[in-house]
Amino acid sequence: MHVLILGGTAEARRLAELLTAPAVPGRTVTSSLAGRVAAPRLPPGEVRIGGFGGAEGLAGWLVRERVDVLVDATHPFAGTMSFHAAGAARTAGVPLVALRRPGWEAVDGDDWRSAGSLAEAAALLPSLGSRVFLTTGRTGLAAFTGRPELDALWFLVRSVDPPEPPVPRRMDVLLDRGPFALDGERALLAAHRIDVLVTKDSGGRATAPKLTAAREAGVPVVVVRRPPVPDGVPVVAGPEEAAHWVTGRMAA
């Protein structure tokens, strides 16, 4: 049996661990990484890096490699890849499940503003602060450029790899990879005099301490809503649940 995990997340790595240990004769687990991070943390099992060439290319790969189960464990904001996976699974007749960590939920004391896109998030910033902690990754930074009111802001951009232009006019880059500790996030907000935070609703614990630090400091947070999972695709919330779903399909 062959399982393909569309990965790049901590949950995808954990799922690969669950499906490869202990080893099961005749079971192949392949994790596919997009290749956007220079030095990714590789999961156990087989690994392929790079795109498939859209839904059609992925469908062809599923057929050629005799994939029995497909797991979309990509980042919650990898919306295009999720729709490609859904289309490819239909074409190839392969069962598909989406592994999505739950989104964050505001608690008492949080000052959150919801945005449907990076552009909407950028439009909110001038009324909220002038020193922005931008934790949306190295792509999409063009949304925070090109307008005088945005050029007047200062941005601290945190990402795993260096961002490429176009980027905000006034910007410092912090290269770092989670998980992040609460004490470190508190110190970062204070040292850079951050007065507004921008994040995607990625969920999970690895990067959640920034939200606690912002709440404690009274810093407003702009939260970009995640795109929907394609219609008809079942969703599980954790690697253990995904592993149970996969093994159930393999035993059928």
Side-chain angles (χ1 to χ4, degrees):
M1 305 293 288
H2 191 179
V3 182
L4 175 62
I5 303 172
L6 304 177
T9 61
E11 291 79 11
R13 288 192 298 275
R14 176 58 180 153
L15 176 59
E17 292 171 358
L18 292 171
L19 294 176
T20 57
V24 177
R27 177 188 296 178
T28 300
V29 178
T30 301
S31 296
S32 177
L33 308 181
R36 294 176 181 171
V37 176
R41 296 171 178 169
L42 298 181
E46 302 292 329
V47 177
R48 71 173 302 280
I49 296 178
F52 291 94
E56 183 177 351
L58 176 55
W61 199 93
L62 295 176
V63 172
R64 288 193 305 275
E65 300 299 325
R66 298 185 178 182
V67 172
D68 299 285
V69 180
L70 175 62
V71 182
D72 173 14
T74 56
H75 191 276
F77 281 82
T80 298
M81 188 66 230
S82 293
F83 278 90
H84 285 173
R90 286 193 301 270
T91 299
V94 173
L96 166 67
V97 65
L99 170 54
R100 290 290 185 273
R101 67 185 79 141
W104 291 314
E105 294 185 2
V107 300
D108 289 344
D110 282 327
D111 180 10
W112 288 12
R113 319 296 171 91
S114 179
S117 65
L118 291 177
E120 286 186 21
L124 294 173
L125 292 180
S127 64
L128 296 175
S130 61
R131 298 184 65 82
V132 184
F133 185 22
L134 192 56
T135 65
T136 57
R138 67 187 180 93
T139 61
L141 296 184
F144 300 90
T145 67
R147 299 205 302 269
E149 62 270 24
L150 294 177
D151 289 343
L153 307 180
W154 178 85
F155 293 84
L156 176 64
V157 175
R158 181 164 69 189
S159 62
V160 176
D161 294 319
E164 298 179 356
V167 297
R169 187 176 69 85
R170 302 175 62 213
M171 176 190 74
D172 284 353
V173 176
L174 175 61
L175 298 181
D176 205 353
R177 187 199 302 262
F180 301 105
L182 178 56
D183 286 346
E185 299 293 67
R186 289 167 173 155
L188 187 149
L189 294 185
H192 294 279
R193 296 178 286 117
I194 298 299
D195 56 14
V196 59
L197 165 67
V198 182
T199 185
K200 294 177 177 178
D201 182 17
S202 301
R205 293 177 292 180
T207 59
K210 64 189 173 187
L211 302 173
T212 302
R215 180 171 63 251
E216 294 175 348
V219 170
V221 181
V222 179
V223 181
V224 181
R225 299 187 299 272
R226 57 175 64 178
V229 173
D231 291 341
V233 177
V235 180
V236 296
E240 290 75 16
E241 188 179 350
H244 180 75
W245 192 96
V246 169
T247 55
R249 294 304 179 278
M250 298 175 85

